[in-house]
Amino acid sequence: MLAKVRLLVAVIWAGSLWTVGYLVAPTLFATLSDRVLAGTIAGSMFHVEALLSLGCAAALLVLLKYGTEGWTAQRRRTVLALIAAMALCTVMSHFGLQPMMAELKAAAGPDGVMASAGKQRFGMLHGISSMIYLVQSVLAGWLILKQ
């Protein structure tokens, strides 16, 4: 039973990452003419995703401790490393980069227009955040395969 729960949590984590990052956020920007509104909604979705990610990581750590009898030590270490790396991706992006991006957005004028240097820095931070998200998304696939 715990093996099924562990797989379910891994699939929820991966599926939510893939859905928010590669379906919902791009659809918002493609559908809404107001890019500031699209960014605000996407930011809210990514915030919920980050909290869900940390919850899934915690649940998987508990399930790794109590629901992996019969696993080799190597498999257990690999899954632990995947969970830790994915959680680290969330922490770096959501609690490291996102506050800096929010600060740049807040410094923009009331119409949401950033100065050139702010746009450049925001673009760089967004690119780094996107790469971290991509790495986390690939790790999520690997996590499912290791269940």
Side-chain angles (χ1 to χ4, degrees):
M1 177 67 166
L2 289 179
K4 289 179 182 181
V5 173
R6 192 181 57 251
L7 178 59
L8 178 62
V9 173
V11 168
I12 288 170
W13 191 0
S16 65
L17 280 167
W18 298 335
T19 300
V20 171
Y22 304 111
L23 184 63
V24 174
T27 301
L28 286 170
F29 284 97
T31 305
L32 297 175
S33 58
D34 184 345
R35 294 189 61 77
V36 174
L37 177 60
T40 300
I41 295 170
S44 293
M45 300 283 300
F46 282 115
H47 173 73
V48 171
E49 172 56 41
L51 298 178
L52 179 67
S53 288
L54 296 177
C56 287
L60 284 172
L61 289 174
V62 170
L63 290 165
L64 186 63
K65 176 150 179 75
Y66 296 107
T68 55
E69 308 81 29
W71 278 23
T72 65
Q74 176 62 42
R75 183 178 180 193
R76 208 174 268 112
R77 279 192 304 271
T78 299
V79 171
L80 176 61
L82 288 168
I83 295 166
M86 289 176 67
L88 181 61
C89 286
T90 297
V91 170
M92 287 186 325
S93 184
H94 189 69
F95 299 102
L97 296 173
Q98 292 301 330
M100 290 188 274
M101 293 167 66
E103 191 177 297
L104 289 169
K105 282 193 254 182
D111 55 0
V113 176
M114 284 186 212
S116 179
K119 276 187 194 178
Q120 206 170 24
R121 182 143 191 254
F122 183 87
M124 179 192 70
L125 293 172
H126 189 274
I128 293 168
S129 181
S130 295
M131 289 305 299
I132 292 171
Y133 202 86
L134 176 62
V135 167
Q136 186 178 25
S137 297
V138 170
L139 292 174
W142 191 8
L143 179 65
I144 290 171
L145 294 174
K146 291 308 263 180
Q147 297 304 308

